[in-house]
Amino acid sequence: MPNPFDLAGRRALVTGSSRGIGLAIARALLDAGAHVIVHGRDPRTVDDAVGALGSVYGTGAVSSAVFDITDEGGVIDGIRSLEAVGPVDILVNNAGMQHREPMLEVSVADFERVIRTDLTSAFLVGRTVARGMIERGGGAIVNICSVQTDLARPTIGAYTAAKGGLRNLTKAMTAEWAGHGVRANGVAPGYIRTELTQPLVDDPAFNAWVLGRTPVGRWGEPDDIGGAVVWLASDASRFVSGQVVFVDGGMTAVV
């Protein structure tokens, strides 16, 4: 019997994959046999990630893409530039940002910047890639959501609104594209230890809150996210669409 998790012969674009969770997702997809396109805005950072992955998986297993996910023209040109690599079979909308400021104080510009980066970008990249997937009759999109898809904390209102919207964007993608063979699902990480969240890990009060609020009793690691993404990108989940899988150590399952 063929391995339903095998991604050999498929090309996966992972936005924001030069570091952190995105880089871990790229490794997981490579482990499953996919050709991975590492994406970012900084050419140097992308090249470093491609070189590091290529040294492990072979230079032919990894490509690069550099474009601004919030600029429609840049997205269209960036996806078009991948034609030499081949059609994108798997899209992981991972790139995003955070902004911490009370809603009574946050500027409209900063609020809209978070929405554009964390939500509108998934729409722009998603529909650009989906056009080719629909023409070919199949593909898989995985949107990286968050526990803030379901929960809220003070000072991150824009991020919470964006990630809540990303859940319903995932459903909208399913409503319009599943009939053409394009599945869309989400993965919602809990609190993951990365270089961006290290200051929170180092904050004794916040660290204690995370450990006490998470039933498994630890922060997540970037590598904890890859398995769920591989499953949703593979034939193992061929009848799954419009769903969000929480990978949060049980945080959203308890009160």
Side-chain angles (χ1 to χ4, degrees):
M1 293 290 292
N3 178 1
F5 295 94
D6 184 11
L7 298 177
R10 303 186 198 184
R11 288 156 296 276
L13 169 62
V14 184
T15 66
S17 50
S18 62
R19 61 180 181 174
I21 292 174
L23 182 58
I25 290 170
R27 286 196 299 265
L29 292 166
L30 284 160
D31 286 336
H35 177 103
V36 170
I37 303 159
V38 176
H39 164 270
R41 288 189 302 176
D42 179 5
R44 181 177 301 178
T45 305
V46 171
D47 287 345
D48 288 346
V50 168
L53 292 172
S55 67
V56 176
Y57 297 95
T59 57
V62 193
S63 300
S64 64
V66 179
F67 58 85
D68 182 351
I69 58 172
T70 68
D71 176 72
E72 184 175 16
V75 168
I76 293 171
D77 290 343
I79 300 302
R80 187 179 295 126
S81 72
L82 300 177
E83 291 176 356
V85 177
V88 175
D89 305 296
I90 299 162
L91 168 64
V92 182
N93 281 312
N94 167 75
M97 65 166 295
Q98 179 62 281
H99 181 85
R100 299 181 183 278
E101 191 174 9
M103 285 196 292
L104 293 180
E105 300 170 16
V106 66
S107 69
V108 172
D110 282 335
F111 188 93
E112 291 181 341
R113 181 167 57 94
V114 174
I115 297 295
R116 186 162 187 84
T117 303
D118 292 357
L119 177 58
T120 307
S121 67
F123 161 71
L124 291 175
V125 181
R127 75 170 181 178
T128 302
V129 172
R131 286 190 172 104
M133 290 179 171
I134 289 169
E135 289 177 1
R136 297 187 301 275
I141 297 173
V142 182
N143 296 320
I144 302 303
C145 300
S146 166
V147 288
Q148 266 69 50
T149 294
D150 260 12
L151 306 176
R153 278 184 57 81
T155 75
I156 56 171
Y159 182 82
T160 302
K163 293 301 185 178
L166 191 54
R167 175 207 286 276
N168 272 6
L169 179 64
T170 302
K171 292 182 178 181
M173 289 175 171
T174 290
E176 296 197 18
W177 302 338
H180 301 281
V182 180
R183 296 184 300 106
N185 291 287
V187 170
Y191 283 85
I192 308 297
R193 184 198 305 264
T194 68
E195 61 183 87
L196 295 179
T197 61
Q198 191 60 44
L200 298 177
V201 178
D202 295 336
D203 180 328
F206 196 91
N207 183 59
W209 177 81
V210 169
L211 297 182
R213 184 68 177 79
T214 306
V216 302
R218 67 171 176 86
W219 285 73
E221 300 294 338
D223 288 343
D224 291 327
I225 308 303
V229 173
V230 168
W231 172 56
L232 292 173
S234 73
D235 291 342
S237 62
R238 64 184 183 182
F239 199 55
V240 180
S241 197
Q243 306 303 308
V244 175
V245 178
F246 284 78
V247 184
D248 62 359
M251 174 176 279
T252 55
V254 299
V255 295

